[in-house]
Amino acid sequence: SADRQVDHKYAILRNQQQSVSIMDDAEWVDTLEERIYLEANLNVHEQKIHLKRIFIVSRNDAGRKLNVYQIRDFIQKKSQYIHLFIVFKEDLEDALLRDIGSGFIAFDDFTVACDVFWNNEIRGCLLFDEMDIKRYKKIFMEMDNHLVPLNRKEWTKWCGKW
């Protein structure tokens, strides 16, 4: 499956992983696969891989969407290799939101896994075409002006008590 293929990408990932999450409720489920994926993300420092994660949320729903144990685990890790950000949906143009789709993960410059929601589950559709990879890198960079660093203070601002 695409998920297993993504797991193997960590073995050959050299530089960075860029993830964009639209914070769909189906993304944050407590399954064995999700726990393995979270653990691999939390341990990027072991391979000196930079993980840049963007969580896209609406301001009026930020507290509920960000209040999941996986995000708290990322914040608590405090690794120099984990870079977390919020981007507010209201700040993005409709065309950019359409391009983001259901979210994606870019692994260096060799593949992109696009999130696909089906039957209340999330799966990754892998893209290897150089033009697709460049397009998703550009989409990721287009959000740079909207990044709000997500740390414990920012999380508490939206979610309340830690």
Side-chain angles (χ1 to χ4, degrees):
S1 82
D3 292 330
R4 276 198 204 91
Q5 291 173 0
V6 168
D7 289 340
H8 296 298
K9 298 295 177 230
Y10 286 103
I12 56 174
L13 195 59
R14 296 286 176 252
N15 186 22
Q16 69 177 338
Q17 173 190 321
Q18 298 172 316
S19 301
V20 177
S21 169
I22 61 163
M23 301 303 291
D24 188 279
D25 292 336
E27 272 182 276
W28 304 102
V29 293
D30 191 15
T31 63
L32 178 60
E33 294 83 6
E34 286 297 319
R35 279 184 254 132
I36 291 169
Y37 179 70
L38 175 63
E39 193 64 30
N41 274 253
L42 289 172
N43 291 317
V44 292
H45 65 279
E46 293 173 2
Q47 297 172 328
K48 295 181 173 51
I49 296 167
H50 285 273
L51 171 64
K52 188 172 181 182
R53 293 208 59 151
I54 295 175
F55 304 104
I56 299 177
V57 295
S58 295
R59 281 182 178 84
N60 64 354
D61 206 16
R64 184 179 74 81
K65 294 288 188 174
L66 296 171
N67 195 7
V68 294
Y69 78 88
Q70 295 95 330
I71 292 177
R72 285 191 307 271
D73 285 356
F74 277 122
I75 293 169
Q76 217 161 357
K77 190 70 175 185
K78 292 184 183 172
S79 168
Q80 65 178 334
Y81 294 98
I82 297 175
H83 315 278
L84 307 173
F85 302 93
I86 303 169
V87 169
F88 295 104
K89 198 175 199 173
E90 300 87 348
D91 296 341
L92 301 178
E93 294 179 22
D94 290 342
L96 181 55
L97 284 169
R98 278 193 303 277
D99 287 344
I100 292 165
S102 297
F104 62 89
I105 305 168
F107 297 92
D108 282 332
D109 290 324
F110 62 83
T111 190
V112 172
C114 295
D115 292 340
V116 178
F117 294 100
W118 181 76
N119 210 13
N120 288 328
E121 290 185 357
I122 186 171
R123 293 285 175 243
C125 172
L126 295 179
L127 304 174
F128 294 96
D129 181 77
E130 186 180 342
M131 293 307 291
D132 287 332
I133 294 167
K134 284 181 179 177
R135 185 168 68 87
Y136 279 95
K137 292 278 188 179
K138 183 177 179 281
I139 292 168
F140 198 87
M141 290 187 328
E142 285 183 38
M143 289 182 273
D144 277 354
N145 292 333
H146 304 287
L147 299 177
V148 176
L150 179 56
N151 50 35
R152 190 170 177 158
K153 181 180 177 185
E154 189 68 24
W155 185 92
T156 303
K157 173 180 164 184
W158 295 100
C159 302
K161 189 175 179 184
W162 184 263

